[in-house]
């Protein structure tokens, strides 16, 4: 009984900021015991503020709603800030996790989110609206979501690169796909 999520649900966290919550994948797992089978559910969830912060997590419980609730709480705690250039990412990157590899490529304004289900969920929650993606390895939702997060956390802005090199921003040969 594996299923994919639908449109993002809006929730409000304790600090009053509105967050997007998206159930990426739900899996029913069975444990065989003396009296038969015990079923429980795994939920993979992406949570973001739509402005460049996103987190992912899994939750496990005997009911779907409880598994989703646990995953959302854990995802809120694991949120990270992402550099953005307009409504896309600053540069091309390949994220990896296990056998899952995801190519993330900046796109021009108006392109939209060109991505499969698990990757799309993370990008929508992050607020990235123009991006090209390609799954290069495993299509397992857990690996794809974690590979996407790996790629997103490895992004650096032109400002960060200039600061690390100790030069001015205009000395770096960088042409963004969008002005931001």
């Amino acid at each position: 009984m594996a299923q994919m999520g639908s449109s993002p649900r809006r929730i409000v966290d304790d600090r009053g900021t509105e967050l997007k919550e998206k159930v990426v994948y739900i899996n029913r797992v069975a444990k065989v015991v003396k009296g038969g089978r015990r079923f429980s559910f795994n939920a993979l969830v992406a949570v973001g503020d739509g402005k460049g912060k996103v987190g992912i997590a899994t939750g496990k419980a005997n009911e779907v709603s409880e598994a989703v609730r646990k995953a959302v709480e854990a995802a809120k705690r694991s949120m990270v800030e992402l550099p953005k250039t307009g409504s896309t990412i600053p540069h091309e990157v390949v994220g990896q996790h296990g056998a899952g590899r995801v190519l993330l490529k900046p796109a021009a304004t108006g392109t939209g989110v060109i991505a499969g289900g698990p990757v799309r969920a993370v990008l929508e929650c992050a607020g990235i609206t123009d991006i090209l993606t390609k799954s290069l390895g495993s299509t397992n939702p857990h690996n794809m979501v974690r590979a996407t997060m790996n790629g997103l956390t490895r992004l650096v802005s032109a400002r960060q690169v200039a600061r690390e090199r100790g030069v001015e921003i205009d000395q770096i040969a960088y042409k963004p796909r969008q002005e931001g």
Side-chain angles (χ1 to χ4, degrees):
M1 186 188 130
Q3 70 185 55
M4 296 293 183
S6 58
S7 63
R9 206 174 88 204
R10 298 199 173 279
I11 52 175
V12 179
D13 75 346
D14 11 323
R15 284 183 236 101
T17 54
E18 193 174 287
L19 300 175
K20 289 182 188 174
E21 161 199 319
K22 183 129 169 131
V23 177
V24 180
Y25 189 74
I26 293 174
N27 190 29
R28 186 179 78 172
V29 290
K31 175 184 178 182
V32 180
V33 292
K34 189 175 173 185
R37 291 186 185 94
R38 281 261 161 81
F39 294 106
S40 63
F41 298 89
N42 283 345
L44 177 62
V45 173
V47 172
D49 65 355
K51 297 176 189 131
K53 282 182 81 173
V54 68
I56 59 155
T58 58
K60 187 174 180 179
N62 291 331
E63 286 102 36
V64 174
S65 59
E66 187 65 13
V68 170
R69 188 193 61 74
K70 284 182 180 180
V72 167
E73 292 303 314
K76 281 185 199 174
R77 289 192 298 269
S78 73
M79 287 177 78
V80 292
E81 186 81 44
L82 309 173
K84 286 173 51 176
T85 306
S87 61
T88 190
I89 56 176
H91 59 86
E92 189 174 313
V93 68
V94 176
Q96 295 181 317
H97 184 272
R101 291 175 59 217
V102 175
L103 168 70
L104 304 169
K105 205 171 177 179
T109 308
T111 304
V113 178
I114 311 297
V119 177
R120 175 181 293 271
V122 176
L123 297 173
E124 283 178 354
C125 288
I128 296 169
T129 55
D130 298 306
I131 191 166
L132 303 165
T133 68
K134 176 74 179 134
S135 171
L136 302 172
S138 165
T139 56
N140 176 330
H142 290 272
N143 285 345
M144 286 178 71
V145 165
R146 288 193 170 91
T148 303
M149 284 301 290
N150 173 265
L152 291 174
T153 54
R154 290 185 19 229
L155 290 172
V156 289
S157 68
R159 189 171 282 113
Q160 286 173 299
V161 172
R163 193 176 326 118
E164 288 169 7
R165 293 182 188 175
V167 296
E168 293 297 316
I169 269 191
D170 51 342
Q171 291 179 298
I172 296 174
Y174 171 69
K175 183 184 172 290
R177 296 286 286 155
Q178 293 180 2
E179 294 305 315

